[in-house]
Amino acid sequence: MDSRLISGAGREFIIKDTHRGLYYEDGKLTKVLEAGRYKIPPHKQWFKELPTIECMLVDIRERELTIKGQEILTADKVAIRVSILVQFRVTDPKAAIHTVDQFEDRLYSDVQLAARRSLASMNLEEILTNRNRLSEDILSDVTESANGYGVAIRRADVKDLIFPGNLQEIMNRVLAAERQSQAQLVEARTRAEVEQIESESRAEITRRDASADAEALRLREQAEAESLRAKVDAETQAYEQRAKAAAVLEGHPALLRLAELETLRDLAKNANARLYLDLERGRVSHDE
C-alpha cells in the first residue's frame, strides 16, 4: 500500500496533487487534507497539553495490480493458468484506509475470486473466442465491493493465458487450420468479387457500346430527316416564288413582254440558238 505517516511536533510537510492527507488528532480522523503546505502544531502551549497530530498520505493516482499465474479449472475441466492486469485508483482515501486492512490485498483477493468464478462457468472454446467476457465479469463482480472500500476499477484484462503442453500443441494446430481456412475463404471471396467486377465491367461496356450505336443511328436519321426537310422547304419556296412571278406576269402583260425581250437578248448572244417566229399569234419560240 502506497501510504506514509507523518508525525512530529512542529514538522512541516507538503501534500502534492497526487495525494491526499488523513489528519488525525489523538488517533481520531478529523479531516482530509487537499494539496498544499501544512505544519504539525506543538504538543504543548502555555503549559496546556495539545492533541497529538499525525497525517497519513494516501496516493490517489491510477495504478496497476497484476494477479499472477492463477490455475483455474474451466467448466469442461481443463486446467489453465491465467494472469490478470487490473487498473484502479483510490477515490475515497478515508474508506481505503479505514474500511479494510490493506486495500490492495483486498482488491487482489476480490479480483482473483471473481476470475475463478467467471472462468469456472466458461468452457475452453468460450475462453479462447471471448476473452472480453472475463473482463466484463470481473468488473461486474468487483466494482461495487471495491467502491465500498474507496477504490474504483478502470479495467481488468487477461494478460496471459497458459494451457497444458499437449493442449497447447493441439490448439496451435487448430488455430493454424482455422487461419488457413480463413485465408482460403478470403481468397475465394476475393476471386468471386473480381469475377463479378469483371462481369459487370463487360456488361457495362456492352451497354455503353449499344447506347453509343443507338445514339449514332438516331443522329444519322435525324440529319437525313433535316436534310430532306431542308430540300423540300427549298423546293417549296422556289415553287412559291415562281407562282408569285407567274401571277405578277399574268396581271401585267407588259412585264411578260419585257421578260420575253430579255430572254431574246440573252439568246441572241448564243450562236447556236435558233428562233421560231409565229407571226399569226405574235409569239416567238426558241431552240438551242
Side-chain angles (χ1 to χ4, degrees):
M1 179 177 63
D2 189 5
S3 59
R4 182 163 57 94
L5 185 64
I6 298 175
S7 60
R11 181 177 177 181
E12 292 187 353
F13 61 96
I14 294 175
I15 300 178
K16 297 182 179 179
D17 282 334
T18 56
H19 291 69
R20 295 292 182 268
L22 301 181
Y23 192 84
Y24 296 91
E25 296 181 3
D26 287 339
K28 181 180 180 180
L29 178 66
T30 58
K31 56 186 172 181
V32 178
L33 302 180
E34 301 289 333
R37 180 186 292 274
Y38 300 91
K39 182 178 181 180
I40 296 178
H43 290 314
K44 293 182 179 181
Q45 186 176 20
W46 299 102
F47 306 104
K48 180 182 178 181
E49 288 287 341
L50 297 177
T52 299
I53 304 299
E54 296 175 317
C55 183
M56 179 172 289
L57 300 184
V58 181
D59 193 336
I60 61 171
R61 290 173 293 182
E62 184 174 296
R63 68 193 92 171
E64 295 181 350
L65 178 66
T66 301
I67 315 298
K68 297 182 179 179
Q70 303 299 308
E71 186 169 312
I72 302 172
L73 283 178
T74 64
D76 46 0
K77 307 305 179 184
V78 177
I80 62 173
R81 296 180 66 84
V82 61
S83 295
I84 302 167
L85 181 66
V86 181
Q87 294 178 345
F88 71 97
R89 63 186 296 268
V90 173
T91 55
D92 185 348
K94 177 183 175 181
I97 299 302
H98 288 211
T99 305
V100 294
D101 181 21
Q102 299 287 338
F103 65 85
E104 286 192 11
D105 293 344
R106 175 64 178 273
L107 180 62
Y108 188 102
S109 299
D110 287 347
V111 172
Q112 182 185 50
L113 293 174
R116 287 183 178 276
R117 285 191 291 269
S118 177
L119 290 174
S121 67
M122 301 168 64
N123 57 43
L124 183 60
E125 183 178 358
E126 290 176 318
I127 296 172
L128 292 175
T129 57
N130 188 13
R131 290 192 181 188
N132 289 336
R133 177 184 163 184
L134 176 59
S135 176
E136 294 168 356
D137 287 350
I138 293 173
L139 289 176
S140 176
D141 196 345
V142 179
T143 296
E144 185 175 355
S145 62
N147 287 337
Y149 49 88
V151 174
I153 301 176
R154 180 172 176 269
R155 60 189 300 173
D157 295 328
V158 175
K159 184 177 181 181
D160 295 307
L161 202 57
I162 303 173
F163 304 93
N166 58 340
L167 181 60
Q168 184 71 43
E169 182 179 354
I170 294 173
M171 287 176 53
N172 289 337
R173 292 178 182 176
V174 171
L175 292 176
E178 289 180 353
R179 285 194 294 268
Q180 183 178 2
S181 176
Q182 291 175 356
Q184 291 174 348
L185 180 59
V186 170
E187 182 180 358
R189 287 178 177 174
T190 302
R191 186 165 55 250
E193 289 177 359
V194 170
E195 291 176 355
Q196 181 179 358
I197 292 172
E198 290 178 347
S199 176
E200 292 176 352
S201 298
R202 288 193 296 269
E204 179 65 16
I205 292 172
T206 301
R207 186 190 64 78
R208 290 183 180 179
D209 289 345
S211 178
D213 292 342
E215 181 65 14
L217 178 60
R218 186 187 67 80
L219 293 175
R220 185 166 60 252
E221 291 176 348
Q222 182 179 353
E224 292 175 354
E226 290 178 355
S227 176
L228 180 59
R229 184 167 54 252
K231 183 178 179 181
V232 171
D233 290 344
E235 291 179 354
T236 302
Q237 290 178 2
Y239 289 143
E240 290 177 353
Q241 290 176 358
R242 289 178 184 178
K244 290 180 180 179
V248 171
L249 292 176
E250 184 177 359
H252 299 81
L255 291 177
L256 177 59
R257 183 58 180 167
L258 181 59
E260 289 179 353
L261 292 175
E262 289 178 354
T263 302
L264 290 173
R265 185 185 61 190
D266 292 338
L267 290 174
K269 296 177 183 180
N270 189 350
N272 296 324
R274 286 182 283 180
L275 300 175
Y276 300 93
L277 300 176
D278 188 354
L279 298 177
E280 293 181 357
R281 297 184 178 181
R283 297 181 60 182
V284 179
S285 61
H286 67 276
D287 185 14
E288 293 183 3

